[in-house]
């Protein structure tokens, strides 16, 4: 409940002076650069932040996530793929009220970490490819009404359960089965033509 209150509370960022905003952003960018982490605007028209830890993923974990706290309300895209982030680290994400896209593929994330994402009322995209999540994530992601796409290929999520859940909410769950079937069909077709 406390985490949900954080996401709904008035924006702290909006109360800051332009100087304070610039100072916070400069500090985060400086710290990120030392870790080989990319921090940039989403686009020329959108000054919210897009952060990728990919180039420094091997050294990036829960402690490093704390570096983003000064600008947490400005993060729209966060790519933590292949990082060392754990369920515990995901608690920090509760303050990222603008977060729309979250990449957690190839991390140590489990079902219990997903519960920390429920305060993210703008989250639309969640990639959990090759993590240890299971059907239990449905209990948490049902509380994120903005969510539109979830990738659970090579996880413990059951395809039939994913399809049932998908029909109960306005959400696309990609289990990778369609990709595997398409690859098998293409292989069979190529072999038939040879």
């Amino acid at each position: 409940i406390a985490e949900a209150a954080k996401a709904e509370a008035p924006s702290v960022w909006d109360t800051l002076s332009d100087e304070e905003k610039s100072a916070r952003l400069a500090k985060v960018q400086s710290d990120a650069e030392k870790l080989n982490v990319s921090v940039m605007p989403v686009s020329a028209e959108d000054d919210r932040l897009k952060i990728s830890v990919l180039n420094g993923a091997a050294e990036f974990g829960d402690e490093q996530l704390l570096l983003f706290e000064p600008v947490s309300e400005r993060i729209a895209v966060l790519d933590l793929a292949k990082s060392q982030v754990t369920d515990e680290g995901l608690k920090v994400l509760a303050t990222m009220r603008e977060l729309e896209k979250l990449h957690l593929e190839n991390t140590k994330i489990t079902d219990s970490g997903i519960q920390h994402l429920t305060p993210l009322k703008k989250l639309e995209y969640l990639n959990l490819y090759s993590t240890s999540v299971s059907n239990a994530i449905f209990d948490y992601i049902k509380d994120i009404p903005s969510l539109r796409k979830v990738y659970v290929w090579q996880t413990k999520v059951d395809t039939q359960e994913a399809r049932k859940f998908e029909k109960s909410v306005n959400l696309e769950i990609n289990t990778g089965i369609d990709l595997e079937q398409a690859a098998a069909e293409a292989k069979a077709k190529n072999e038939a033509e040879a």
Side-chain angles (χ1 to χ4, degrees), residues 182-193:
E185 288 169 9
K187 183 179 178 188
K189 183 181 175 193
N190 287 343
E191 287 172 357
E193 291 173 354

Side-chain angles (χ1 to χ4, degrees), residues 81-126:
K82 298 182 180 179
S83 72
Q84 309 313 304
V85 171
T86 68
D87 294 338
E88 187 64 23
L90 293 187
K91 288 180 180 177
V92 174
L93 276 57
T95 60
M96 296 183 182
R97 64 193 304 143
E98 293 293 318
L99 195 61
E100 294 174 357
K101 291 184 178 179
L102 178 59
H103 291 265
L104 294 171
E105 59 265 35
N106 295 297
T107 61
K108 297 175 179 79
I109 300 305
T110 69
D111 299 330
S112 63
I114 303 306
Q115 69 183 318
H116 302 303
L117 306 182
T118 57
L120 303 175
K121 300 305 176 202
K122 293 187 177 183
L123 189 65
E124 297 174 3
Y125 172 99
L126 178 60

Side-chain angles (χ1 to χ4, degrees), residues 27-160:
K27 170 96 172 89
V28 167
Q29 286 177 318
S30 172
D31 291 344
E33 203 172 290
K34 292 173 191 159
L35 296 169
N36 265 344
V37 171
S38 164
V39 177
M40 60 184 58
V42 170
S43 70
E45 299 80 33
D46 187 347
D47 69 349
R48 293 177 306 156
L49 301 175
K50 178 179 180 179
I51 297 176
S52 173
V53 306
L54 197 58
N55 291 334
E59 315 294 313
F60 194 94
D62 297 344
E63 190 177 320
Q64 289 74 24
L65 257 179
L66 297 173
L67 299 174
F68 302 140
E69 278 190 314
V71 295
S72 66
E73 291 186 7
R74 300 304 302 149
I75 300 171
V77 179
L78 183 59
D79 188 344
L80 299 172
K82 298 182 180 179
S83 72
Q84 309 313 304
V85 171
T86 68
D87 294 338
E88 187 64 23
L90 293 187
K91 288 180 180 177
V92 174
L93 276 57
T95 60
M96 296 183 182
R97 64 193 304 143
E98 293 293 318
L99 195 61
E100 294 174 357
K101 291 184 178 179
L102 178 59
H103 291 265
L104 294 171
E105 59 265 35
N106 295 297
T107 61
K108 297 175 179 79
I109 300 305
T110 69
D111 299 330
S112 63
I114 303 306
Q115 69 183 318
H116 302 303
L117 306 182
T118 57
L120 303 175
K121 300 305 176 202
K122 293 187 177 183
L123 189 65
E124 297 174 3
Y125 172 99
L126 178 60
N127 193 326
L128 299 169
Y129 166 79
S130 197
T131 60
S132 295
V133 298
S134 71
N135 294 346
I137 65 168
F138 301 143
D139 290 337
Y140 304 119
I141 64 176
K142 71 177 174 23
D143 295 328
I144 311 174
S146 57
L147 206 52
R148 295 292 167 253
K149 285 191 176 191
V150 179
Y151 290 85
V152 293
W153 193 20
Q154 294 186 9
T155 65
K156 297 173 188 166
V157 172
D158 177 73
T159 303
Q160 277 72 33

